[in-house]
Amino acid sequence: MKSPHNLKSLFLYGFGLLMAAIPSDLATAGEKPNILVILADDLGYGDVGFTGAKDIRTPNLDKLAANGISCTNAYVTHAYCGPSRAGLITGRYQARFGLEINLTNSPFDTHSGLPLSEKTFATRLKKANYRTGIIGKWHLGAAPPFHPNERGFDYFYGFLSGGHSYFPSSVTTTRPLTTPDGDPIYTANEGSDLPLSRNNKNAEFEEYLTTALSKDAVKFVKKGTEPFCLYLAYNAPHQPLQAPEEIIAKYSHIEDKNRRVYAAIIDEMDCGIGMIVAALKESGKFENTLIFFLSDNGASMKYGKTDRENYSSSGPFRDGKGSMREGGSHVPYIVHWPAKLKNPGKFDGLVSSLDIAATAVALGGGDTSGEKLEGVNLIPYLTGETTGSPHSALFWRENNGKAWAVRTENSKFLMQSNKKELYDMSADPYEKNNILEQQPERRAELAKLWNEWNAGNKANEYLQAEAYQRARLKFYEDLRKQQLEKAAKVKPLQID
Ligand SMILES: [Ca+2]
């Protein structure tokens, strides 16, 4: 800032300093915004109206995008579920605390969950008297110490595992370990057919899951007058491909049967979001509720192949879930807050899922103790008060660096399947022309940024859920075999 040269500017300068000294939370004293974070699961970049979908209808999301800010260069911190959620909920790169895999869904594994050294944004806001809730998918450890109620959430309705079936009829309380043919079942989604929970108890589950979650969110946002923070983590449109017949019928114009169901799953999520918006309006809370909407990773498709696992679309981007290319982590991202974001539009600076915690904690006057938040309060950027990009660079690292990426506003350098790629993101945002050989200086600059970032990271400390479950089932199988062998050797008992 230049120093003032006359009396008038001195006055303005002094006034500016005074204003700058007032924390943003005091500026809205008594009116802290409600925070609503809506997370979709495996939603493809191109599968909502506001990012270009023509065959899937999302009028409620499109309205939020049109009346809020649609961030066009927004990313999650990992190209698949668990680590992405760990980054989002803590506001810190998950490699800082060694979490680079999907955690086990086992309620008996007290060693696998979001590290207790980390604080969630709910923990931080709860200290500022927010009423906090999570509805939907947790996926950050299923054993008691990691339960959402222990991680800053006053309220929980949903499931602890990485996925869930959509219809109540799929729920079972028996846990088959083999198929009817006797093949062992090793599934990463163990828990997907368990009953839903409300806090620590089994809860009702009587209708299509997305609708049940939306209705519960409606109740949550309507309740009370204190500020709330709700993390609504839909499992939609993650597999399994299940949707109500009457919604699927709305998509008869889609030829592909699977995409028709996929469209219906998204449709039902959009309807739910419409219900929640209506509830916020009815209770007079809509104006001062800051809504984020994004997906936890890109479109679910078989990596490196063109066939799409759930018939989702990454829009213009290459690849999908799991990839270091744009389709893996470049996500639809809305920020909507009528009270403050008065000029709707698009924002093209680099935005991260890490920014949700930073923004919420800054606005809510939340607790900032403990590990440092790595995101940025987006609001000054979105109002235009601050110009430029919230981040100069964003980083990715998978499985101790077997794949990695760094993106600046103009460039991206990545490695996966042992191949490196370099792109000019200004001229080539869809990563079509690898310029690795032509631009060694650009490559060196990006490598330097990534190495500096990575110096603060830890090696992954956890076992991938599927590997963990396979080992666990084998452990029980082996014990069982030993016991059967032992039993076979026991001589018939004779009493006298
Ligand atoms: Ca996901």
Side-chain angles (χ1 to χ4, degrees):
M1 185 186 283
K2 283 182 185 171
S3 55
H5 296 295
N6 56 43
L7 266 181
K8 189 184 168 202
S9 59
L10 185 64
F11 172 76
L12 290 173
Y13 180 64
F15 185 67
L17 286 179
L18 182 70
M19 290 306 287
I22 299 175
S24 59
D25 57 308
L26 287 183
T28 51
E31 287 186 64
K32 288 176 179 177
N34 302 307
I35 310 288
L36 173 56
V37 181
I38 306 175
L39 188 68
D41 195 353
D42 289 13
L43 175 70
Y45 186 88
D47 291 329
V48 276
F50 68 95
T51 57
K54 299 280 180 248
D55 55 349
I56 302 176
R57 289 183 288 263
T58 55
N60 294 296
L61 280 169
D62 297 351
K63 209 178 279 175
L64 288 179
N67 297 329
I69 309 286
S70 176
C71 299
T72 56
N73 275 304
Y75 295 84
V76 286
T77 57
H78 202 86
Y80 64 80
C81 292
S84 169
R85 283 155 199 268
L88 186 155
I89 209 166
T90 58
R92 290 171 27 81
Y93 279 110
Q94 61 280 356
R96 304 298 196 210
F97 44 89
L99 199 166
E100 292 190 301
I101 46 81
N102 275 336
L103 294 164
T104 163
N105 299 317
S106 168
F108 304 108
D109 185 3
T110 54
H111 303 285
S112 182
L114 183 71
L116 300 177
S117 55
E118 297 299 318
K119 290 181 181 172
T120 68
F121 58 72
T123 298
R124 295 181 186 277
L125 288 175
K126 200 169 146 69
K127 286 223 170 143
N129 299 318
Y130 270 75
R131 181 170 57 91
T132 57
I134 165 173
I135 294 174
K137 166 170 159 176
W138 174 241
H139 206 196
L140 291 171
F146 308 112
H147 190 280
N149 288 151
E150 302 295 326
R151 308 310 303 269
F153 293 96
D154 299 319
Y155 178 78
F156 166 55
Y157 174 64
F159 49 94
L160 299 170
S161 56
H164 207 280
S165 51
Y166 289 91
F167 287 111
S169 55
S170 308
V171 166
T172 169
T173 47
T174 56
R175 311 293 306 141
L177 296 183
T178 58
T179 66
D181 298 332
D183 296 318
I185 293 169
Y186 302 130
T187 164
N189 279 336
E190 187 183 56
S192 68
D193 53 0
L194 286 175
L196 299 187
S197 303
R198 177 167 285 107
N199 300 320
N200 274 314
K201 295 193 166 70
N202 282 0
E204 81 286 354
F205 176 27
E206 289 154 359
E207 60 190 317
Y208 188 64
L209 180 57
T210 305
T211 316
L213 299 178
S214 302
K215 285 186 180 172
D216 210 63
V218 162
K219 281 186 206 153
F220 184 92
V221 303
K222 274 186 166 176
K223 205 176 151 193
T225 52
E226 70 286 2
F228 70 76
C229 165
L230 176 62
Y231 172 44
L232 173 57
Y234 285 112
N235 59 314
H238 194 289
Q239 288 184 343
L241 282 174
Q242 298 171 340
E245 285 303 327
E246 65 273 21
I247 312 296
I248 298 170
K250 282 169 69 178
Y251 288 91
S252 55
H253 58 280
I254 297 179
E255 206 175 311
D256 185 292
K257 203 178 114 215
N258 287 320
R259 184 158 175 87
R260 219 180 294 152
V261 182
Y262 176 73
I265 297 174
I266 294 171
D267 188 293
E268 198 63 7
M269 175 176 73
D270 185 77
C271 287
I273 291 167
M275 277 163 38
I276 296 156
V277 164
L280 287 168
K281 286 180 177 169
E282 270 169 42
S283 51
K285 296 179 183 177
F286 189 61
E287 277 288 306
N288 200 26
T289 297
L290 169 60
I291 302 176
F292 289 96
F293 172 82
L294 72 165
S295 179
D296 71 333
N297 52 252
S300 175
M301 51 181 78
K302 284 177 187 164
Y303 169 63
K305 294 182 181 172
T306 52
D307 56 327
R308 293 172 175 183
E309 258 189 287
N310 64 352
Y311 307 92
S312 51
S313 163
S314 293
F317 298 124
R318 283 181 79 178
D319 299 348
K321 179 177 182 176
S323 174
M324 288 292 146
R325 296 198 186 115
E326 292 287 284
S329 59
H330 193 145
V331 293
Y333 194 117
I334 302 170
V335 188
H336 182 278
W337 186 18
K340 187 84 177 182
L341 300 176
K342 303 282 188 193
N343 296 308
K346 291 187 175 177
F347 180 76
D348 66 359
L350 293 182
V351 167
S352 168
S353 54
L354 299 173
D355 302 333
I356 292 173
T359 305
V361 170
L363 297 174
D367 174 25
T368 51
S369 67
E371 301 290 354
K372 194 177 176 294
L373 289 164
E374 297 192 274
V376 174
N377 176 5
L378 290 177
I379 302 305
Y381 290 91
L382 303 183
T383 57
E385 192 183 326
T386 304
T387 53
S389 175
H391 296 266
S392 54
L394 296 173
F395 305 94
W396 293 263
R397 195 185 84 164
E398 194 181 319
N399 205 355
N400 288 336
K402 286 199 179 99
W404 46 254
V406 44
R407 193 206 150 158
T408 61
E409 277 191 281
N410 299 321
S411 310
K412 185 169 168 189
F413 183 31
L414 68 92
M415 198 273 291
Q416 60 188 2
S417 308
N418 292 317
K419 282 188 189 137
K420 291 175 185 165
E421 297 172 13
L422 181 67
Y423 296 102
D424 177 339
M425 297 303 279
S426 306
D428 180 24
Y430 307 134
E431 302 168 311
K432 288 180 178 159
N433 184 25
N434 181 5
I435 53 169
L436 185 75
E437 302 305 324
Q438 293 93 308
Q439 302 216 6
E441 281 170 21
R442 192 194 290 244
R443 169 185 172 167
E445 271 168 38
L446 292 166
K448 185 169 176 279
L449 288 175
W450 193 90
N451 289 330
E452 283 165 6
W453 168 77
N454 191 49
N457 288 339
K458 279 170 106 175
N460 175 54
E461 294 179 352
Y462 300 91
L463 192 57
Q464 190 77 251
E466 207 166 333
Y468 169 85
Q469 279 158 207
R470 202 177 293 127
R472 186 163 54 86
L473 291 178
K474 173 127 185 13
F475 169 79
Y476 286 120
E477 253 170 47
D478 290 349
L479 274 186
R480 176 73 181 143
K481 261 185 223 158
Q482 281 173 30
Q483 190 57 25
L484 285 174
E485 280 164 19
K486 209 168 144 191
K489 285 177 194 159
V490 174
K491 287 178 186 152
L493 184 63
Q494 287 197 336
I495 59 166
D496 50 27

